[in-house]
């Protein structure tokens, strides 16, 4: 199984098609609108409280950019310090390598089940599936992740994987599936959030107490101390990180920070950006192993999987600054209407649209950079100031270039763009086209509006009228009324 | 002040009345407006859709045609944003150093209409008269690329007779996004539906914005539903006077 197969879900149609299906699901749209709206408002309220919010963003962005420029150095330092603290560091070039390492480590313990702290990175590499092939069962312990796992579903949001599910759906999933994975749901389970949380707690407690091995991701790792950090809000992470005997952490190489002191600014930015909380409920930090306390065997798997290639792109690399807060998803008008599945990728929403094509090669996710109106709301929300619109148009150019290379004949779009370019690079040709369009419009327009249009414009004209081109362009009006006898700027007319 | 009007290819053909309004308005304020006939397009559609080499001739032409004016004004937030944010990118990537220099010289003189009026000409009351109920949509590019802030609203508030009403969820994107409306028509429609609902909630007679492309998208939807709500570019409201109400 290659990395690309997991970052991008095989068999998912291109974004416009997947989006159409999602849009037809009215319950999904209602769930999404409610959830993103709530988090969005909360985030705005708590970020407005801080006078130095913009300074924090600038600092965080600067730290991330600087770290990425010397990533090799910081990673080698991290390896040193983790090793010195009694941990073991493994390097994985791609998903297959990372999965093989983790599988081997679990097998060495003789265990056949593990508990997991929610982690995007292990989803990216398809770890649960790889472990299952080796006969090892992985239990997700984050509430939303549990819901997704029980239902055999896919996450739809970075932070709230089950954002697309309502309460009654969750109750049904618990009743139907919990028994197959362990302790069944209690009799008479209602869809009251407290009831649902209690059912999950009972179900998960069994697993925490039994598990000898845990797998986590990492939000940050400090190179100078070898400290790894996981931030979560339910306490399930704390259980996984302290109770088992063996802890295996899979971390994307971009998560390293030069020093422990750098955590300060990120731990202030992350909760406010992601859940709209001033502080997150659980922040777990561990440095190697400590005798008689916590896991006695600690492994850190450093994953590349397309990140070095991304780093090589000077515009695109800023996507590696991402701290996975999901603020960009919550403010994105496109995500709000389609949900995460339409992106066909582990990383949905605006960050997915720029990160996924870079991790897997733009030709393998060519519709994603176009899944945006470039409205810029994501850039304004991003705590580390990733200029997502800039990366989107950068990747669009790459997608177009890739198509140009792969095809003998230009696509209809490329042909149209070429033709438009020829017209738009000459005022004389443009004026001629304007005259023709005005003439044509007079034949089909009614009261200045045109109804249904042909070809690529058909979907546009299904819901909108199109104004007819004016009888006289501004250029023509100007010449007629203002330029009689004057030639000041004519010379440039060509 | 000697001001060049960059009408944009889209307005030139579809909304010349917006160009005439800008001209009337600026002349009423005592300035000289010129229309360089060599102008064509800022290249935004090509650039944003990923066709960068095709953008280069337009960038070159823009820098040439608009060199040497006190100011260049355009009644389009997104085209102003294209020139300001992306022309130097194209010049650096595909052009030469002479082009880069030419772009650097022209870019600081380019203003979106509300910026020119408020920041450069230092007026907010342009002496307009428009006795209608109006709501204002701050298009994404004006809002987030140009950061025009409340300049358009300050100009509108100073208009005599106007009944300016707030648009709910004003800052959410209308779903146009240039070729996005064609490539992702279904998502675009869903966004448009919400924007139209909010416009109708205000009870306004006119929806105003600083960009005719967004107005074409929203106005096209409002027309299809026969809502009777019209769209009007900021320039047209500002150009209206007691004796000449549009
Ligand atoms: S891109 Fe920015 S806003 Fe989006 S998840 Fe990453 S850090 Fe958060």
């Amino acid at each position: 199984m290659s990395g690309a197969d997991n970052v991008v879900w095989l068999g998912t149609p291109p974004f416009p098609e997947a989006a159409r299906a999602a849009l037809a699901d009215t319950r999904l749209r209602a769930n999404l609108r409610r959830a993103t709206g709530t988090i969005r408002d909360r985030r705005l309220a708590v970020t407005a409280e801080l006078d130095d919010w913009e300074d924090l963003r600038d600092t965080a962005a600067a730290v991330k950019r600087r770290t990425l420029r010397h990533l090799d150095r910081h990673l080698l330092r991290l390896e040193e310090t983790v090793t010195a603290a009694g941990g073991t560091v493994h390097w994985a070039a791609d998903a297959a390598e990372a999965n093989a390492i983790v599988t081997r480590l679990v097998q060495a313990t003789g265990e056949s089940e593990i508990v997991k702290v929610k982690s995007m990175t292990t989803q990216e590499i398809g770890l649960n599936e790889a472990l299952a092939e080796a006969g090892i069962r992985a239990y997700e312990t984050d509430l939303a992740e549990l819901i997704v796992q029980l239902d055999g579903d896919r996450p739809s949001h970075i932070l709230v994987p089950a954002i697309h599910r309502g309460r009654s759906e969750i109750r049904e999933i618990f009743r139907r599936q919990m028994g197959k994975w362990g302790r069944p749901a209690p009799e008479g389970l209602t869809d009251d959030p407290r009831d649902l949380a209690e059912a999950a707690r009972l179900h998960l407690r069994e697993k925490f107490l039994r598990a000898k091995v845990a797998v986590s991701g990492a939000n940050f790792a400090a190179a100078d101390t070898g400290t790894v950090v996981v931030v979560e809000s339910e306490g399930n992470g704390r259980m996984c990180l302290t109770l088992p005997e063996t802890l295996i952490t899979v971390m994307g190489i971009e998560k390293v920070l030069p020093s422990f002191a750098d955590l300060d600014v990120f731990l202030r930015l992350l909760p406010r950006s992601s859940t709209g909380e001033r502080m997150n409920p659980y922040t777990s930090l561990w440095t190697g192993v400590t005798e008689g306390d916590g896991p006695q065997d600690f492994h850190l798997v450093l994953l590349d999987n397309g990140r070095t290639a991304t780093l090589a792109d000077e515009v695109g690399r800023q996507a590696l600054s991402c701290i996975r807060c999901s603020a960009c998803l919550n403010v994105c008008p496109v995500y709000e209407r389609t949900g995460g599945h339409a992106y066909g990728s582990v990383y949905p929403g605006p960050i997915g649209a720029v990160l996924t094509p870079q991790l897997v090669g733009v030709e393998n996710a060519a519709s994603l950079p176009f899944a945006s109106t470039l409205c810029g709301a994501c850039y304004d929300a991003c705590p580390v100031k990733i200029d997502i619109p800039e990366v989107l148009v950068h990747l669009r150019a790459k997608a177009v270039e890739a198509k140009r290379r792969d095809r003998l004949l230009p696509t209809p779009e490329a042909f149209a763009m070429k033709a438009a370019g020829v017209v738009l690079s000459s005022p004389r040709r443009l004026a001629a086209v304007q005259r023709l369009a005005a003439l044509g419009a007079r034949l089909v327009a009614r009261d200045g509006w045109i109804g249904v249009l042909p070809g690529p414009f058909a979907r546009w004209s299904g819901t909108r009228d199109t104004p007819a081109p004016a009888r006289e362009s501004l250029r023509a009006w100007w010449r007629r009324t203002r330029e009689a006898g004057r030639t000041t700027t004519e010379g440039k007319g060509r | 002040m000697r001001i060049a009007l960059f009408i944009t290819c889209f307005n030139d053909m579809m909304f010349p009345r917006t160009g005439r309004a800008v001209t009337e308005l600026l002349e009423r304020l005592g300035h000289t407006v010129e229309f360089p006939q060599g102008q064509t397009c800022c290249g935004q559609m090509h650039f944003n859709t990923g066709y960068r080499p095709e953008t280069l001739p337009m960038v070159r032409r823009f820098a040439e045609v608009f060199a040497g004016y006190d100011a260049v004004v355009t009644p389009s937030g997104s085209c102003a944003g294209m020139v300001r944010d992306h022309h130097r990118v194209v010049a650096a990537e595909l052009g030469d150093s002479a082009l880069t220099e030419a772009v650097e010289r022209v870019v600081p003189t380019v203003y979106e209409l509300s910026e020119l009026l408020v920041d450069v000409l230092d007026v907010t009351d342009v002496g307009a008269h428009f006795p209608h109920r109006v709501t204002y949509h701050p298009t994404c590019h004006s809002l987030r690329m140009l950061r025009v802030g409340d300049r358009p609203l300050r100009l509108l508030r100073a208009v005599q007779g106007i009944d300016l009403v707030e648009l709910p969820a004003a800052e959410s994107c209308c779903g146009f996004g240039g070729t996005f409306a064609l490539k992702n028509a279904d998502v675009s429609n869903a966004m448009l539906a919400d924007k139209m609902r909010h416009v109708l909630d205000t009870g306004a007679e006119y929806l105003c914005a600083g960009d005719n492309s967004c107005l074409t998208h929203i106005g096209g939807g409002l027309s299809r539903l026969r809502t009777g709500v019209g769209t009007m570019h900021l320039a047209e409201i500002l150009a209206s006077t007691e004796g000449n109400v549009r």
Side-chain angles (χ1 to χ4, degrees), chain A residues 100-144:
Chain A
I101 293 168
V102 178
T103 307
R104 190 162 40 71
L105 289 170
V106 178
Q107 279 166 342
T109 66
E111 292 295 315
S112 61
E113 46 178 56
I114 63 159
V115 285
K116 280 187 70 202
V117 189
K118 179 181 153 15
S119 140
M120 296 302 297
T121 316
T122 58
Q123 263 164 33
E124 175 189 325
I125 59 177
L127 179 66
N128 291 8
E129 293 79 5
L131 289 175
E133 269 174 47
I136 300 163
R137 209 166 197 199
Y139 295 111
E140 295 292 348
T141 65
D142 170 85
L143 178 56

Side-chain angles (χ1 to χ4, degrees), chain A residues 15-17 19-20 23 29 33 315 333-334 336-338 367 370-380 390 393-398 400-401 404 411 413-421 423-428 430 433-434 437 449-452 456-457 459-479 482-483 486 488-490 492-494, chain B residues 2 5 7 9-20 23-24 27 33-41 45-54 57-58 61 64-67 69 86 89 93 140-141 143-144 147 172-173 175-197 213 215-226 231:
Chain A
F15 185 82
E17 271 172 58
R20 194 174 313 144
L23 284 163
R29 278 175 74 183
R33 183 189 301 236
V315 177
V334 175
E336 182 188 326
R337 282 154 183 100
T338 64
S367 66
F370 297 92
S372 164
T373 64
L374 304 179
C375 80
C378 48
Y379 181 27
D380 277 8
E390 180 190 21
V393 291
H394 174 74
L395 295 175
R396 288 178 182 189
K398 291 194 147 192
V400 168
E401 280 309 316
R404 268 200 246 259
T411 60
E413 178 187 282
F415 187 79
M417 286 287 171
K418 183 116 217 154
V423 170
L424 292 173
S425 56
S426 147
R428 202 171 40 77
L430 180 56
V433 167
Q434 285 168 345
W449 292 96
I450 303 172
V452 180
F457 302 100
R459 294 194 82 84
W460 161 280
S461 62
T463 53
R464 309 167 193 84
D465 290 336
T466 308
R471 280 166 181 266
E472 186 180 41
S473 69
L474 186 77
R475 183 186 309 274
W477 172 78
W478 199 284
R479 281 196 176 222
R482 307 243 165 172
E483 296 249 317
R486 279 208 287 153
T488 43
T489 49
E490 295 271 312
K492 289 172 180 170
R494 275 202 286 274
Chain B
R2 184 167 159 261
L5 170 62
I7 187 57
C9 60
F10 181 70
N11 284 327
D12 187 7
M13 180 154 112
M14 307 296 289
F15 297 97
R17 60 167 200 256
T18 301
R20 294 204 291 271
T23 311
E24 273 172 42
E27 288 178 347
V33 181
E34 294 188 20
F35 184 86
Q37 289 273 338
Q39 64 178 282
T40 55
C41 168
M45 176 180 75
H46 287 86
F47 185 84
N48 280 353
T49 316
Y51 292 81
R52 286 201 182 178
E54 285 82 350
M58 291 176 239
R61 171 168 289 278
E64 222 174 82
V65 168
F66 289 104
Y69 289 95
H86 300 318
V89 174
E93 249 178 39
C140 297
H141 285 167
L143 191 70
R144 302 198 187 87
R147 312 251 171 220
S172 49
C173 176
F176 175 58
T179 47
F180 176 84
L182 299 178
K183 282 177 184 279
N184 285 285
D186 302 277
V187 186
S188 173
N189 286 339
M191 293 165 71
L192 171 61
D194 290 340
K195 184 58 77 179
M196 289 196 294
R197 187 165 42 79
S213 39
L215 286 178
T216 300
H217 166 77
I218 310 170
L222 291 168
S223 161
R224 177 63 56 88
L225 296 180
R226 306 198 184 288
T231 53

Side-chain angles (χ1 to χ4, degrees), chain A residues 158 322-328 351 378 381-384 386 388:
Chain A
I158 291 180
C322 174
I323 58 172
R324 312 278 189 268
C325 71
S326 70
C328 58
I351 183 58
C378 48
C382 178
V384 289
I386 299 172
I388 296 176

Side-chain angles (χ1 to χ4, degrees), chain A residues 18-75:
Chain A
R20 194 174 313 144
L23 284 163
D25 185 342
T26 49
R27 181 154 70 166
L28 172 78
R29 278 175 74 183
N31 288 347
L32 283 167
R33 183 189 301 236
R34 193 171 346 99
T36 55
T38 308
I39 314 178
R40 199 158 55 209
D41 293 345
R42 258 205 328 240
R43 183 185 63 83
L44 281 178
V46 298
T47 54
E49 283 173 1
L50 293 186
D51 302 335
D52 62 345
W53 182 252
E54 290 307 315
D55 297 338
L56 278 179
R57 286 178 77 204
D58 284 331
T59 310
V63 170
K64 277 288 188 181
R65 308 277 149 100
R66 208 163 2 92
T67 311
L68 289 174
R69 276 202 296 276
H70 307 287
L71 193 61
D72 51 344
R73 222 173 60 205
H74 300 303
L75 287 169

Side-chain angles (χ1 to χ4, degrees), chain A residues 248-281:
Chain A
I248 306 166
T249 299
V250 185
M251 177 187 119
I253 53 173
E254 80 281 16
K255 295 288 176 68
V256 68
L257 292 172
S259 84
F260 192 86
D262 293 321
L263 286 173
D264 165 40
V265 55
F266 292 98
L267 290 179
R268 279 196 278 162
L269 280 174
L270 184 56
R272 285 182 201 255
S273 302
S274 58
T275 49
E277 292 165 305
R278 297 187 179 90
M279 205 182 152
N280 60 288

